[in-house]
Amino acid sequence: MNASGGQQGLIRYENVSMTYPSTRGRPPLKALEPVNLAIEKGEFICLVGPSGCGKTTLLKISAALLSPTQGNVVFNGAPLNEPSRSIGVMFQKPVLLPWRTVEKNAYLPAEISGTMSSAIAERVAKVLTMVGLHDFATALPDQLSGGMQQRAAMARTLAYEPELMLMDEPFGALDEFTRETMNLELSELTHQAGITSLFVTHNIPEAVFLADRVVVMSPRPGRVSGIVEVPFPKPRTVDFMRDPGFTELTFEVRNILSEAESSSTRVAEEQP
Amino acid sequence: MSTYTVPDQDTGADVELDVFIDERDPERWKWRAISIIVVLTFLAIWELLPRLGLVSTIILPPVTDVWAGLTELVMQDTFPRHLRVTLVEMLVGFLIGTLIGFAIGVALGVWESVKKSVYPLVVAFQSLPKIVLAPLLITWFGYGIESKIAMAVVIAFFPVLINTMVGLETVPDEARQLMRSLKASRGQVFRKLSLPHAAPFIMAGIKTGLTFAVIGAIVGEFVGSSEGLGYLLHAYGFQLRIDKVFAVIVVLSLIGAILYFAIDWLERRMIYWRTDSSLV
């Protein structure tokens, strides 16, 4: 059987690499060295690394918004060549349409796939209650705070029960307190629904708090420089952050990051 | 404070204007009173200058004479006809211009190849002072209403075109990616994302286009016509009936203001969300 011990993974990256073609005389940009990784069903993976390490590139490849220059992405046993409705994406910004109410923003995926029904409306109402936006279903996005806007975006994704949820620093723009609350809620919601998650962040404690495995990436060109397992029960609570094991794991991630950074600096210095 | 994007009248480029709007300004009554005083002072000076013999009444008739001229003008049997002709020219020109501007703007904003091939021509056309086309349009379309409509179309379509194009092009990348991740078709992206995103830009272009259509119709009448308010203005000018000239100007500015506020009302109805939003 294969390297991941017989398990195929819900999504699997086989030698996935990415080089952006040259533009306006600038040389081609190597964003991602071959990445090999398998994410199991129900797992929560956090992708950490310095800015420009190809985290977002890998996430976009996972959503089939970008196709890798080399290698394959296998989703549910089949090559992933185009966006899939079983994959939900959350971006850095909430990306809510400002002319649609919160509820109608959450209907958008169903409207586009032509599957809008009263069952969907019920599910949206339920998910809006889950994320605490029950009273804001008919509010316009600009009437909500930043945290509430990201909650609305989360509801738009969760209402369709995706098998895989891709999140690109969704709480990066929020203040520390809101961010912590959102992380707690996200941990609980994805755990309950059994949703497989790939979460990009450059916040190490956030990554350790959320993840079953933290995948650490090196500076550009990005590659996986280490994987840290977080063997603590889920859903996680605030108490987990006070556990000595939590601090230890953040140090472990930190160390892999600094090692990767210094070795990549050496490589850069060795080049003429 | 709200930021409004308006096309610059000369270059067609978008200019951002910061407008202070606060409906609950505690001093609003004070400022309203002051603005009324300013208007009354202006009218009083206008009345007094000719009455005191400081300015010839032929050059500047007193306000009261203008008012008398205005009532006389609107009582004339021929006035409704002149008014109707000009209104038809403005409105038909505005509608056709808006439709043409919208259609070309969509083509330029949606298809990169159309933009690359046609845009230089569009810019060249815009840099032309459109008034020079008036004699040509009269030769082509005749002395009647058609040439004035054509003149209104020719100047009104451009702001709609440019704003439609810019509105469609400025759809944020992340929103496009969201639509792609949802497997939206090109038509769905246009209907559900690009067009509503562009709507505030398009409305701003339509507002400018309306003002331009008014100018187009009047200029067309100046150059050659036998009816309409622009014709009256021209004729009274030659007769040195300056009170009537001012009376026609008052009628024209009323028409302009009414049309503008009608569009403005429509815009407030249609664009109910905040357009400076950073959500998308």
Side-chain angles (χ1 to χ4, degrees), chain A residues 60 64-65 82-83 85 91-93 95-99 109 111-112 140-142 149 156, chain B residues 174-175 177-184 188 192-193 196-197 272-274 277-280:
Chain A
K60 282 187 179 164
L65 292 171
E82 53 167 5
R85 294 207 168 108
F91 299 90
Q92 292 179 3
K93 287 186 193 166
V95 204
L96 300 168
L97 305 181
W99 50 87
E111 280 178 29
I112 285 171
L140 287 174
D142 58 40
Q149 289 170 359
R156 178 182 57 203
Chain B
E174 281 186 312
Q177 285 183 6
L178 172 75
M179 295 306 259
R180 269 183 64 204
S181 78
L182 298 173
K183 303 184 82 167
Q188 285 175 324
K192 292 185 186 291
L193 175 64
H197 171 81
Y272 51 85
W273 62 93
R274 262 178 54 196
S277 169
S278 57
L279 298 163
V280 190

Side-chain angles (χ1 to χ4, degrees), chain B residues 20-246:
Chain B
F20 287 89
I21 296 175
D22 190 349
E23 308 277 89
R24 276 160 302 188
D25 180 355
E27 294 193 317
R28 69 188 186 281
W29 291 110
K30 186 179 116 192
W31 290 111
R32 223 166 262 182
I34 289 173
S35 63
I36 289 170
I37 290 168
V38 169
V39 171
L40 289 178
T41 312
F42 174 75
L43 292 176
I45 293 171
W46 183 352
E47 180 71 22
L48 286 175
L49 284 178
R51 288 268 180 244
L52 297 175
L54 295 170
V55 180
S56 155
T57 52
I58 291 172
I59 289 176
L60 185 71
V63 180
T64 44
D65 284 9
V66 171
W67 179 255
L70 182 64
T71 43
E72 199 183 311
L73 175 74
V74 297
M75 291 307 192
Q76 282 170 16
D77 293 345
T78 51
F79 180 73
R81 179 170 61 96
H82 290 299
L83 179 67
R84 197 182 58 241
V85 165
T86 301
L87 279 178
V88 166
E89 289 163 359
M90 286 170 181
L91 292 176
V92 174
F94 164 67
L95 284 177
I96 297 175
T98 299
L99 289 177
I100 292 176
F102 178 71
I104 302 177
V106 166
L108 290 168
V110 171
W111 293 287
E112 184 72 13
S113 54
V114 175
K115 183 174 178 185
K116 279 185 183 148
S117 42
V118 178
Y119 196 54
L121 178 69
V122 171
V123 173
F125 183 77
Q126 176 53 15
S127 50
L128 184 77
K130 249 61 95 232
I131 297 184
V132 304
L133 295 176
L136 185 66
L137 291 175
I138 285 169
T139 319
W140 285 353
F141 295 102
Y143 217 55
I145 205 166
E146 295 84 357
S147 54
K148 284 73 194 182
I149 292 176
M151 194 63 210
V153 168
V154 157
I155 32 185
F157 88 98
F158 199 81
V160 182
L161 181 157
I162 209 82
N163 276 31
T164 305
M165 185 189 83
V166 169
L168 292 172
E169 281 178 347
T170 52
V171 173
D173 212 34
E174 281 186 312
R176 285 186 197 281
Q177 285 183 6
L178 172 75
M179 295 306 259
R180 269 183 64 204
S181 78
L182 298 173
K183 303 184 82 167
S185 67
R186 278 188 72 119
Q188 285 175 324
V189 173
F190 183 76
R191 285 198 314 278
K192 292 185 186 291
L193 175 64
S194 308
L195 196 56
H197 171 81
F201 294 83
I202 298 172
M203 281 308 292
I206 289 177
K207 260 167 136 176
T208 314
L210 181 66
T211 320
F212 283 16
V214 172
I215 298 173
I218 302 297
V219 166
E221 288 180 4
F222 279 176
V223 175
S225 68
S226 54
E227 51 186 356
L229 296 174
Y231 161 77
L232 278 185
L233 200 61
H234 213 47
Y236 286 134
F238 274 123
Q239 297 163 17
L240 283 183
R241 290 295 311 273
I242 305 301
D243 55 337
K244 286 285 185 68
V245 168
F246 274 106

